Amino acid sequence: LEVLKSKKLDSTLLTEVGNWFSVQKNLEESSFNLNKKIAEIKNDILKIEDELLPYNVDIKSFREEFSDKIENLDIKKGEFSGKKNQLEVQKQLSHYADALHDGESCPLCGALEHPNIVEFEDVNLELSEIEKQLKAFENEKNVLQKNLLDIEKILSRKEIVEKQLQN
């Protein structure tokens, strides 16, 4: 009996060994789950980065590039608006010149005689082209602003996902 008692293992030691194995198993499961979650987050980041590919932008400088493009469009739009205003004035003057008749007073200066009536070309076609170009500039600007907003949203989502990876 004494020999058997000496060969008997301590029950607290068996409990501690059992607890250690349980803790070890839990740690391995937690580590596996964390690694799986990290892989999913990295995969999400890659998918988000793929969403940026169609825009073909440099993430570090795209804001400046878009700002420059929009500014250039605004400059062109201003130039074309100036041309449009000049053509509209010319069109109106042409209308006044066509309405002049000897003996009737000029609506601009009041003269009754009109010895040198200015002849103007028809500017309707040119006005139409300028208006089309102005609309094209406006559409291009809207597309740029939409793309800028889309890129900002994508980058914001990427930043949120990257913060999850850090936590």
Side-chain angles (χ1 to χ4, degrees):
L1 197 57
E2 284 297 318
V3 173
L4 286 177
K5 279 187 180 182
S6 66
K7 289 185 179 181
K8 180 182 169 190
L9 293 175
D10 185 16
S11 63
T12 57
L13 178 63
L14 286 176
T15 305
E16 287 178 12
V17 169
N19 288 340
W20 181 86
F21 277 108
S22 294
V23 168
Q24 186 64 24
K25 183 180 177 186
N26 288 338
L27 286 175
E28 287 174 359
E29 286 177 5
S30 294
S31 175
F32 175 78
N33 289 337
L34 281 175
N35 287 334
K36 183 178 174 184
K37 185 69 176 173
I38 289 170
E40 288 173 1
I41 291 173
K42 286 182 177 180
N43 190 34
D44 289 346
I45 290 172
L46 289 175
K47 286 179 183 177
I48 292 171
E49 287 174 348
D50 285 346
E51 291 178 36
L52 289 171
L53 291 177
Y55 297 101
N56 194 24
V57 293
D58 180 9
I59 294 174
K60 296 175 184 169
S61 64
F62 78 94
R63 288 177 186 90
E64 291 174 18
E65 291 171 11
F66 274 79
S67 178
D68 289 345
K69 288 178 182 179
I70 290 171
E71 184 178 331
N72 287 337
L73 282 173
D74 285 339
I75 290 170
K76 288 179 182 177
K77 190 176 172 185
E79 291 170 358
F80 274 76
S81 291
K83 288 179 185 178
K84 179 183 175 190
N85 289 341
Q86 288 176 345
L87 289 173
E88 286 174 340
V89 167
Q90 188 175 343
K91 181 179 177 181
Q92 191 62 39
L93 288 174
S94 172
H95 174 70
Y96 286 135
D98 290 343
L100 287 177
H101 300 290
D102 281 336
E104 294 179 14
S105 64
C106 173
L108 299 175
C109 67
L112 296 175
E113 295 179 13
H114 318 291
N116 278 336
I117 298 176
V118 174
E119 302 252 345
F120 292 99
E121 296 177 21
D122 185 20
V123 293
N124 287 327
L125 181 62
E126 199 173 348
L127 266 173
S128 174
E129 290 299 319
I130 286 178
E131 287 174 359
K132 286 180 187 176
Q133 192 63 46
L134 285 171
K135 286 179 184 177
F137 289 147
E138 191 62 33
N139 289 339
E140 188 176 347
K141 182 179 175 180
N142 290 339
V143 167
L144 283 172
Q145 289 173 331
K146 181 191 175 301
N147 288 347
L148 179 61
L149 184 62
D150 289 346
I151 292 169
E152 293 283 356
K153 287 178 183 177
I154 292 169
L155 290 176
S156 178
R157 282 192 358 250
K158 181 182 176 195
E159 187 178 319
I160 290 169
V161 172
E162 286 174 339
K163 283 182 181 178
Q164 288 176 354
L165 187 60
Q166 292 172 356
N167 293 336

